mmCIF file of all heavy atoms in Angstrom:
data_model
loop_
_atom_site.group_PDB
_atom_site.id
_atom_site.type_symbol
_atom_site.label_atom_id
_atom_site.label_comp_id
_atom_site.label_asym_id
_atom_site.label_seq_id
_atom_site.Cartn_x
_atom_site.Cartn_y
_atom_site.Cartn_z
ATOM 1 N N LEU A 9 160.432 154.471 46.341
ATOM 2 C CA LEU A 9 159.065 154.459 45.824
ATOM 3 C C LEU A 9 158.162 155.392 46.638
ATOM 4 O O LEU A 9 157.314 156.105 46.072
ATOM 5 C CB LEU A 9 158.502 153.046 45.811
ATOM 6 C CG LEU A 9 159.106 152.094 44.772
ATOM 7 C CD1 LEU A 9 158.564 150.689 44.949
ATOM 8 C CD2 LEU A 9 158.830 152.602 43.367
ATOM 9 N N LEU A 10 158.340 155.409 47.931
ATOM 10 C CA LEU A 10 157.555 156.320 48.770
ATOM 11 C C LEU A 10 157.858 157.775 48.438
ATOM 12 O O LEU A 10 156.949 158.606 48.340
ATOM 13 C CB LEU A 10 157.815 156.046 50.252
ATOM 14 C CG LEU A 10 157.169 154.795 50.821
ATOM 15 C CD1 LEU A 10 157.633 154.569 52.256
ATOM 16 C CD2 LEU A 10 155.666 154.896 50.756
ATOM 17 N N MET A 11 159.134 158.078 48.246
ATOM 18 C CA MET A 11 159.529 159.443 47.897
ATOM 19 C C MET A 11 158.923 159.827 46.550
ATOM 20 O O MET A 11 158.415 160.931 46.378
ATOM 21 C CB MET A 11 161.045 159.585 47.866
ATOM 22 C CG MET A 11 161.495 161.000 47.575
ATOM 23 S SD MET A 11 160.865 162.213 48.746
ATOM 24 C CE MET A 11 161.970 161.953 50.096
ATOM 25 N N LEU A 12 158.945 158.928 45.584
ATOM 26 C CA LEU A 12 158.373 159.196 44.271
ATOM 27 C C LEU A 12 156.864 159.439 44.380
ATOM 28 O O LEU A 12 156.332 160.356 43.766
ATOM 29 C CB LEU A 12 158.659 158.027 43.327
ATOM 30 C CG LEU A 12 158.126 158.169 41.905
ATOM 31 C CD1 LEU A 12 158.739 159.403 41.246
ATOM 32 C CD2 LEU A 12 158.415 156.931 41.100
ATOM 33 N N ALA A 13 156.188 158.637 45.177
ATOM 34 C CA ALA A 13 154.749 158.813 45.370
ATOM 35 C C ALA A 13 154.440 160.174 45.986
ATOM 36 O O ALA A 13 153.485 160.851 45.596
ATOM 37 C CB ALA A 13 154.192 157.694 46.248
ATOM 38 N N ILE A 14 155.235 160.618 46.920
ATOM 39 C CA ILE A 14 155.046 161.924 47.545
ATOM 40 C C ILE A 14 155.262 163.035 46.532
ATOM 41 O O ILE A 14 154.503 163.996 46.465
ATOM 42 C CB ILE A 14 155.983 162.089 48.763
ATOM 43 C CG1 ILE A 14 155.525 161.167 49.892
ATOM 44 C CG2 ILE A 14 156.030 163.545 49.219
ATOM 45 C CD1 ILE A 14 156.494 161.051 51.038
ATOM 46 N N LEU A 15 156.284 162.898 45.694
ATOM 47 C CA LEU A 15 156.599 163.938 44.720
ATOM 48 C C LEU A 15 155.554 164.074 43.625
ATOM 49 O O LEU A 15 155.296 165.172 43.133
ATOM 50 C CB LEU A 15 157.970 163.675 44.087
ATOM 51 C CG LEU A 15 159.163 163.863 45.007
ATOM 52 C CD1 LEU A 15 160.443 163.434 44.311
ATOM 53 C CD2 LEU A 15 159.259 165.308 45.464
ATOM 54 N N ILE A 16 154.931 162.965 43.223
ATOM 55 C CA ILE A 16 153.962 163.056 42.130
ATOM 56 C C ILE A 16 152.525 163.163 42.621
ATOM 57 O O ILE A 16 151.625 163.393 41.827
ATOM 58 C CB ILE A 16 154.102 161.868 41.154
ATOM 59 C CG1 ILE A 16 153.783 160.546 41.835
ATOM 60 C CG2 ILE A 16 155.446 161.878 40.490
ATOM 61 C CD1 ILE A 16 153.706 159.375 40.885
ATOM 62 N N ALA A 17 152.300 163.060 43.913
ATOM 63 C CA ALA A 17 150.944 163.200 44.448
ATOM 64 C C ALA A 17 150.477 164.642 44.250
ATOM 65 O O ALA A 17 151.255 165.576 44.340
ATOM 66 C CB ALA A 17 150.927 162.848 45.936
ATOM 67 N N PRO A 18 149.190 164.823 43.946
ATOM 68 C CA PRO A 18 148.700 166.187 43.765
ATOM 69 C C PRO A 18 148.786 166.973 45.064
ATOM 70 O O PRO A 18 148.512 166.454 46.133
ATOM 71 C CB PRO A 18 147.245 165.994 43.327
ATOM 72 C CG PRO A 18 146.887 164.600 43.688
ATOM 73 C CD PRO A 18 148.163 163.819 43.772
ATOM 74 N N VAL A 19 149.201 168.200 44.934
ATOM 75 C CA VAL A 19 149.314 169.077 46.089
ATOM 76 C C VAL A 19 148.063 169.939 46.136
ATOM 77 O O VAL A 19 147.681 170.551 45.149
ATOM 78 C CB VAL A 19 150.573 169.962 45.976
ATOM 79 C CG1 VAL A 19 150.637 170.955 47.115
ATOM 80 C CG2 VAL A 19 151.807 169.099 45.937
ATOM 81 N N ARG A 20 147.416 170.009 47.273
ATOM 82 C CA ARG A 20 146.222 170.824 47.433
ATOM 83 C C ARG A 20 146.438 171.761 48.611
ATOM 84 O O ARG A 20 146.713 171.321 49.707
ATOM 85 C CB ARG A 20 144.995 169.963 47.690
ATOM 86 C CG ARG A 20 144.662 169.067 46.527
ATOM 87 C CD ARG A 20 143.358 168.357 46.800
ATOM 88 N NE ARG A 20 143.125 167.329 45.829
ATOM 89 C CZ ARG A 20 142.476 167.523 44.689
ATOM 90 N NH1 ARG A 20 142.027 168.693 44.389
ATOM 91 N NH2 ARG A 20 142.294 166.527 43.855
ATOM 92 N N ASP A 21 146.272 173.059 48.354
ATOM 93 C CA ASP A 21 146.415 174.014 49.443
ATOM 94 C C ASP A 21 145.061 174.559 49.893
ATOM 95 O O ASP A 21 144.989 175.390 50.758
ATOM 96 C CB ASP A 21 147.350 175.163 49.056
ATOM 97 C CG ASP A 21 146.917 175.872 47.803
ATOM 98 O OD1 ASP A 21 145.987 175.413 47.125
ATOM 99 O OD2 ASP A 21 147.526 176.899 47.498
#
Side-chain angles (χ1 to χ4, degrees):
L9 289 174
L10 285 174
M11 183 57 79
L12 180 60
I14 290 170
L15 291 174
I16 64 172
V19 175
R20 296 186 190 270
D21 56 352

